[in-house]
Every structure is written in structure tokens, then in C-alpha cells.
Amino acid sequence: MDKKIILATIALVAVVISTLLMFPDNSTSTAETLPWNISHPTPDSTRVFGITLGKTTLNELTELFKHETEAEISLFKPTTGEMSVEVFYEEVNFNGLKAKMVFTVAVPKEEIQDMFQRGLRMNSGGSGKHITLAADDLARVRSLPIHNLTYLPNLRLEEAIITKRFGIPSEKIKEKTSEITHWLYPNHGLDIAISPNEKPVLQYLSRQDFALLRTPLLAEGEIIK
């Protein structure tokens, strides 16, 4: 190969590497932020993404996620069901895996209705209404623990990959009105909703609360092998 061509190739490679180094890596890369790295500080608790459900407060969550996109916090009033305070991240980037995340804050039921009455603005969507919280209510919410979280990765995962990372589920429940099958891992407080043409949805909660998730699934679905 001509010496000039070799030198030109080396120079091009150097430029490419230098250009890549100019772009910041915004991902958080730790073993603790892998979605399958689930631990249990106590027999009934669940810890994932550096969050201990039922203990880590919203203020602490915000500090953990300070390098991610800004969170949207609102009171959610669904078309059917109970109201809840939700924290939504449009995009998080852990270990190069981009995803959306939704957290539910453990607000006592007796406080929810009062927060709704004091709400500042209301935006309607297909599944319900989002209410902007008053300043004092927002401060109160920030001091409360995260109850559960939903992780929505931006890529599809083959069932073989899910099994490799999370293991074989204790049971599978197929929804009667859709193609969604729920892979249940009560030992980890985890439900993975899988559909043939959709990306998976991972919901984490404390092991002591897992029956609250499983019971309605059984009422509207059927166990499959």
C-alpha cells in the first residue's frame, strides 16, 4: 500500500476518534443500574436501579437521577381506578440502555383527594387526567418514598434474553382481551409484560405488595404453561 495512503488512513482514524471523544457519554454505567440486578435489603423489600422501594424518597430519587432528563411530577386521575402521584422520565440512559421510567409515590390515600382539590392545572389524555400539584403538595410528595416503578426499554427483548437475564418465571398469566402475557417473579417483586409486537414493560414493587398486582391479573386472565 502506498505510504501516503497509509498516512492518510491513520489521520482519518485519528480524526474519527477525536470526534467521538468530543461527544459526552450521558449514560450512567454501574452494575446497580442494570434492570436485572435486583436485591432485597429485607425479606419483603425490593431494590433495583439504586432504589429501595418503600424507602427511597422522591428527593433521593431525583439526586440519583440528576444526570437524566428532568422528571415530570403530577397527580394522575385515571379513567377508572384510584388516583396516584406519578413521576415520569421521558428518557433515562443506564449502561447504554435507553428507556422511559414511571414511578408511583406512596402518598397516603387520605391526602390524595385534598391534593386533587388544590391542583393548579389539569391536562386530559387518553387514559386519564394529569393534575399539576400545588407547591406545598409537591414539597410533601418529594419527602415520601417511591412505591413502585415501571421500566419501559426502547428496544424489544427476545424471550430467550429475558429468561437468560431474569430466569424462568414462577408463572405466566395471559390476558384474555389482548396478546399480552405477564411473566411473574414474586421472589423479586417483578412483572414483565410481553407482547409479540410490542416492547416489554417491567414493573417492580416490594415483594410484600406482589399480591396486589397478581390478584387483578388472575381475575382478568388465565395461567398458562
Side-chain angles (χ1 to χ4, degrees), residues 14-57:
V15 170
V16 171
I17 293 173
S18 299
T19 302
L20 290 174
L21 291 174
M22 291 175 63
F23 290 94
D25 180 5
N26 294 322
S27 67
T28 301
S29 299
T30 67
E32 194 171 42
T33 52
L34 291 168
W36 50 83
N37 191 347
I38 308 168
S39 60
H40 307 283
T42 64
D44 290 331
S45 65
T46 297
R47 181 176 176 83
V48 64
F49 299 110
I51 302 158
T52 301
L53 300 176
K55 182 178 180 181
T56 301
T57 66

Side-chain angles (χ1 to χ4, degrees), residues 151-178:
Y151 179 76
L152 302 100
N154 287 349
L155 74 166
R156 292 196 177 100
L157 297 177
E158 298 293 332
E159 292 187 3
I161 296 296
I162 295 175
T163 301
K164 179 179 179 180
R165 294 300 185 183
F166 296 93
I168 299 173
S170 296
E171 62 183 348
K172 298 179 182 179
I173 298 178
K174 172 76 167 57
E175 293 186 7
K176 294 179 181 178
T177 57
S178 74

Side-chain angles (χ1 to χ4, degrees), residues 9 62 65 68 80 89 98 106 114 150 158 173 209:
T9 302
T62 304
F65 283 23
E68 306 302 327
T80 59
Y89 282 87
K98 293 183 179 180
D114 290 339
T150 302
E158 298 293 332
I173 298 178
D209 294 329

